[in-house]
Amino acid sequence: MELAFLAAAAFLAGLIDAVAGGGGLVQIPALFSAYPNLSPATLIGTNKVAAMSGTAAAAWRYGRRVRVYWGATGPAIVAAFLFSMLGAYALTLIPADPLRKALPFVLLLLLGYTVAKKNLGTEHAPSLSGRAERWAAIGVGIVIGFYDGIFGPGTGSFLMIAFVRIFGYDFLHASVSTKFVNLATNLAALLLLAAKGHIWWQLGLIMAVGNVAGSQVGSRLALKHGSGFVRKVFIFVVLALILKTAYDAFLRG
C-alpha cells in the first residue's frame, strides 16, 4: 500500500513541478507520512531521485518545444550546482530554523508582487544581454542554489519569478529555464547524499517512474495552454507553499 500511495504522490508531484514548481509540497510529506521512522536525510535523498528524474524529463520535453535562452540559463546552472552543494554542506554546520520561520513571509511577498503585477510574465521580452545577463544569472544561481542546498522548499517558485522579473521572460520560457537550473541543484544534492549513503534506491526509482509520468502530463498541459495557465498554477502553488510552510514553522508541534 505504501508503494502505491507514494507512486501516486510522485505522479502528482511531477505534474505540479512540470508546470510551476513546488512538487515537493506533495512528495516530501508523503514520504515522511509513509516512513516516519526513517532518517530524514534518507527520505530527502530518496525524494531527490524521483524529483530529479521528473525534472529531467520535463526539461527534455520543454527543450524540444520552447527555446532555451542559454545566455542566462547556462551560467545559472553552473553557479546553482556549485552553491547547492555548498548549501548542503552548510546544512551540517548551521541551523535551518531561522530560514524555516522566514520562508512563509518571503513567499507572501512573492505572491503579493505576482498578483499585483497582472501583466508579469505574460509577454516574453528578454531584458538583459552580454555581461550583465551572465552576472545576473550567476547571482541567481548562487543565491537560489545555496538556498536549495541548505533548505529547499519553494526553489522552483523562486527560480520562476527570478527568470520572469530579472530577465523579462514570460512564464513558459521561465519554466523551461527553471527546469534546467533545478535539475542542477537536485543533481548536486543527490550526489552529496548518495556519497553519504542517504538514498533508498529501490523506492526512489519506483517513485521516479511516477514522477516522470506526471511531468509528461504537466509539461504537455503547460505547452498546450501557455503562459497564462502557468501563471495561474504558479499563484496556486505559491499560496499552498505559504500555508504549508507557515504550518510547519509555527503550528506543528
Side-chain angles (χ1 to χ4, degrees):
M1 286 299 293
E2 285 91 352
L3 290 180
F5 166 68
L6 289 171
F11 176 88
L12 182 58
L15 191 155
I16 294 169
D17 246 340
V19 178
L25 266 177
V26 176
Q27 197 160 263
I28 293 175
L31 276 164
F32 276 83
S33 173
Y35 298 103
N37 298 319
L38 207 61
S39 159
T42 300
L43 292 173
I44 290 171
T46 303
N47 169 70
K48 289 294 183 185
V49 175
M52 193 185 77
S53 301
T55 302
W60 176 77
R61 189 176 185 89
Y62 275 117
R64 293 174 60 209
R65 298 278 301 276
V66 180
R67 178 182 173 185
V68 182
Y69 287 78
W70 292 109
T73 308
I77 286 172
V78 175
F81 178 88
L82 295 174
F83 278 81
S84 177
M85 198 166 281
L86 182 62
Y89 175 71
L91 180 59
T92 66
L93 305 175
I94 60 176
D97 199 54
L99 273 174
R100 191 165 63 94
K101 286 183 165 56
L103 183 59
F105 301 103
V106 175
L107 286 166
L108 190 59
L109 289 173
L110 180 66
L111 178 64
Y113 180 81
T114 305
V115 172
K117 298 281 187 178
K118 296 190 182 300
N119 293 325
L120 185 71
T122 58
E123 294 184 3
H124 186 65
S127 55
L128 296 175
S129 61
R131 184 176 298 176
E133 181 183 44
R134 284 193 299 275
W135 280 112
I138 289 169
V140 167
I142 287 172
V143 173
I144 300 181
F146 186 83
Y147 168 77
D148 194 32
I150 197 171
F151 194 49
T155 295
S157 300
F158 288 129
L159 281 169
M160 185 90 79
I161 204 66
F163 278 104
V164 169
R165 180 65 186 87
I166 297 172
F167 299 101
Y169 293 5
D170 64 12
F171 272 100
L172 189 59
H173 286 85
S175 188
V176 66
S177 291
T178 290
K179 296 298 168 289
F180 281 102
V181 179
N182 210 2
L183 181 60
T185 64
N186 281 336
L187 177 59
L190 179 65
L191 290 173
L192 190 70
L193 291 167
K196 293 183 175 293
H198 285 302
I199 295 177
W200 184 358
W201 286 104
Q202 295 93 327
L203 177 59
L205 291 172
I206 289 170
M207 292 181 69
V209 174
N211 200 287
V212 169
S215 78
Q216 294 302 292
V217 174
S219 54
R220 185 178 298 127
L221 287 171
L223 289 166
K224 179 179 179 179
H225 297 291
S227 289
F229 172 75
V230 177
R231 174 189 165 90
K232 290 174 184 174
V233 176
F234 174 80
I235 290 172
F236 173 80
V237 168
V238 172
L239 179 59
L241 269 170
I242 291 168
L243 297 175
K244 177 66 169 62
T245 55
Y247 173 78
D248 289 345
F250 299 107
L251 298 176
R252 175 179 281 177

